[in-house]
Amino acid sequence: MKIIEDDLSSDATIALIRAHVTELAGHSPEESCHALDLEALRAPGLTFWSVWEDDTIAGCGALKALDETHGEIKSMRTAGTHLRRGVAAKLLDHIIRQARMRGFKRLSLETGTPAVFAPARSLYARFGFETCPPFGSYCEDPYSVFMTKSLDGPGDNAPSKSSCRQAS
């Protein structure tokens, strides 16, 4: 498997992102769904990667800069054809390494509370992410779990202060 920085132009990548957004919308009300669509994934300050096995897309994920020292993992997804084959772990390791190389001191994420998200929460916990209060512009939400990981070794695990805004 290889990981590439992806410009979100291939049919396979577009299909995987669309499937991701559609599926997540089925597990949370609209105001609690924080999945990024194709246009949002092309925004400045965000890098998107896809994982490929030969000519088949196996997964994807993104890193969003929240500020100079804090990044957020977005759009982690494993293709249905590649579930339980280590795609997500390989990609998460890559994103963590990239965040460190960019000088981030903290990496955070938002994922869901329904049972379908349990494997993702378990993966993040295995990589040292711990639950935390909302960060960035997120608000407390019964459909969201917020997790964070310090990237500069042991020390302060408090996430950046939240400036919560209501969904529109």
Side-chain angles (χ1 to χ4, degrees):
M1 280 187 269
K2 66 179 176 177
I3 298 172
I4 64 164
E5 192 169 321
D6 194 315
D7 66 3
L8 296 135
S9 64
S10 78
D11 290 341
T13 301
I14 291 168
L16 184 60
I17 291 301
R18 287 186 176 151
H20 177 66
V21 170
T22 300
E23 183 187 338
L24 293 183
H27 297 289
S28 304
E30 185 178 343
E31 65 275 7
S32 297
C33 193
H34 304 289
L36 299 180
D37 63 16
L38 284 165
E39 211 46 50
L41 287 168
R42 292 182 176 119
L46 198 142
T47 305
F48 182 86
W49 292 277
S50 55
V51 182
W52 296 80
E53 186 172 58
D54 300 318
D55 293 334
T56 303
I57 194 164
C60 64
L63 176 60
K64 177 182 178 181
L66 297 175
D67 62 34
E68 307 80 40
T69 63
H70 192 186
E72 180 182 6
I73 295 173
K74 296 297 293 180
S75 301
M76 285 281 293
R77 179 70 174 201
T78 300
T81 56
H82 287 76
L83 293 174
R84 290 170 287 290
R85 293 179 52 193
V87 173
K90 181 179 179 108
L91 183 56
L92 183 55
D93 181 64
H94 178 81
I95 291 172
I96 291 168
R97 283 188 285 108
Q98 287 292 317
R100 281 191 171 111
M101 287 173 31
R102 294 171 189 203
F104 291 138
K105 302 296 182 197
R106 172 156 313 285
L107 194 54
S108 301
L109 62 97
E110 178 275 338
T111 190
T113 58
V116 71
F117 296 98
R121 292 190 308 267
S122 177
L123 172 72
Y124 297 132
R126 282 197 322 269
F127 273 77
F129 286 83
E130 298 176 343
T131 57
C132 67
F135 58 90
S137 62
Y138 290 107
C139 300
E140 285 291 341
D141 186 321
Y143 290 92
S144 291
V145 172
F146 304 98
M147 302 180 84
T148 194
K149 173 184 177 69
S150 174
L151 297 180
D152 55 1
D156 179 24
N157 278 334
S160 297
K161 195 168 217 167
S162 175
S163 57
C164 182
R165 65 173 163 75
Q166 296 301 324
S168 51

